[in-house]
Amino acid sequence: MTGLKAGVSEDFAELKQVFGFSGYPSGVALFNGRQRALLTQFEGSEPAATLKQLGFIY
Amino acid sequence: MRPLEPAVWKTAFAWVAGVALSVLFLASGLWKITDPQSAAMRMSQALVPESWSLFAAVAFGVVETVSGVFVLVPRFRRWGAILTGLLLLAFLGWFAIHYAALRGADCSCFPWVKRAVGPGFFIGDGLMLLLAAAAGLWSKPPGSPRTAALIFAAVAVFAGVSYGVDMAHRTGTLAPAAITVDGQRYPLRHGRTFLFFFNPECRHCIDAAKSMSQFDWGDTRVVAIPVEEPQYSAQFLQ
């Protein structure tokens, strides 16, 4: 349907407890286990601009 | 007549081999030292036990860097050749033992060069082993062990400082050490990971995922976490 290459985790409850939950779609960028950014904008240039700035995409 | 001096072409070849090995091992070693967490993540992917991956990344980074320096300097070249040879034998042995599991995967040998584990990998490392043998055999006897020890110590200190700086810069909410992804334990504390929270039936989530499927993620790992209707996750990602 979407073609997104990702693993699937059903540990939502555990992750929600740690990072909170900002609705869907949303994303958390982790670097070496630490939260670098919370992404809640998925329109226009986002999240590409933020992910590129963080070095998560090229 | 000077029977103990190697032929000029052998000395020249030892130089070429030394420089080539030095470039490769310095690139690999300095990358591990300056970005130990990413190197550890790649080691985990190469089936190094998670609990050992960070130590292995730093230790291999130090030894590879020292090897790269030694094999470049004529008076240490033989020691450098021995070290690079031992490292190459260790890599060949590791990937031979785990060949079935790692076949086709990136060997994570160098930061910018992708090398898939397969026959080509063994041929490549075999050639490097021959270069190491030539560099060692056709170089002059080694000397100055004190200077060599100082170089080793300096690299080790540099690795320690680099690791300390990396640790000091760690801020932000700490993720769980591991979660379950596709039924397997999945470490979160090495490298870049993007957690994507979605509902498989949400139109906005579908559009967002379609858009993100076009990104060049490089080494970043993506984990999709359904907040509702998890039974439709596989269909969502297809």
Side-chain angles (χ1 to χ4, degrees):
Chain A
M1 187 190 289
T2 65
L4 181 65
K5 287 185 172 54
V8 176
S9 174
E10 295 185 15
D11 290 347
F12 173 58
E14 183 182 359
L15 292 167
K16 180 185 173 184
Q17 210 166 21
V18 176
F19 299 111
F21 177 54
S22 311
Y24 52 77
S26 63
V28 172
L30 297 176
F31 181 64
N32 293 335
R34 299 276 182 179
Q35 181 178 340
R36 279 284 166 267
L38 170 67
L39 294 102
T40 55
Q41 299 295 314
F42 287 83
E43 281 174 342
S45 62
E46 291 295 345
T50 303
L51 290 172
K52 198 167 276 186
Q53 192 184 3
L54 293 169
F56 275 55
I57 61 172
Y58 299 97
Chain B
M1 200 167 152
R2 294 153 64 193
L4 293 177
E5 286 289 316
V8 173
W9 70 269
K10 289 181 179 176
T11 306
F13 192 87
W15 260 103
V16 172
V19 170
L21 288 170
S22 178
V23 168
L24 293 169
F25 278 80
L26 279 176
S28 178
L30 289 172
W31 163 60
K32 291 185 177 78
I33 287 176
T34 53
D35 192 1
Q37 296 290 344
S38 296
M41 181 195 72
R42 287 175 181 241
M43 288 204 155
S44 298
Q45 290 168 352
L47 303 182
V48 173
E50 177 70 20
S51 53
W52 283 91
S53 61
L54 188 57
F55 172 77
V58 175
F60 273 101
V62 169
V63 179
E64 286 175 11
T65 304
V66 170
S67 305
V69 173
F70 280 8
V71 84
L72 185 64
V73 181
R75 63 177 157 159
F76 302 135
R77 183 163 294 147
R78 193 164 289 174
W79 289 334
I82 291 168
L83 278 176
T84 52
L86 289 173
L87 285 167
L88 286 164
L89 284 173
F91 299 149
L92 284 165
W94 180 266
F95 285 104
I97 289 167
H98 298 285
Y99 188 68
L102 293 172
R103 187 176 185 175
D106 178 29
C107 73
S108 304
C109 313
F110 304 107
W112 307 287
V113 182
K114 301 285 181 197
R115 291 177 70 210
V117 177
F121 166 82
F122 291 98
I123 292 168
D125 272 28
L127 288 173
M128 282 191 258
L129 202 51
L130 288 176
L131 286 179
L137 289 171
W138 295 337
S139 58
K140 60 184 180 183
S144 308
R146 191 164 175 272
T147 309
L150 281 173
I151 291 171
F152 194 96
V155 173
V157 168
F158 175 61
V161 170
S162 175
Y163 179 73
V165 169
D166 182 63
M167 293 292 283
H169 279 86
R170 288 191 192 186
T171 54
T173 304
L174 182 64
I179 56 174
T180 303
V181 174
D182 297 327
Q184 307 270 333
R185 291 306 282 167
Y186 190 91
L188 288 179
R189 292 185 182 171
H190 292 314
R192 294 177 174 84
T193 308
F194 181 66
L195 305 177
F196 178 56
F197 296 92
F198 71 103
N199 178 333
E201 294 184 322
C202 141
R203 186 72 236 170
H204 194 26
C205 300
I206 292 169
D207 291 341
K210 276 183 180 170
S211 168
M212 291 194 296
S213 72
Q214 305 301 314
F215 294 173
D216 177 2
W217 289 96
D219 291 334
T220 302
R221 303 174 300 164
V222 182
V223 179
I225 302 118
V227 301
E228 290 172 20
E229 312 288 358
Q231 69 274 25
Y232 299 123
S233 298
Q235 194 182 340
F236 178 88
L237 294 172
Q238 274 176 0

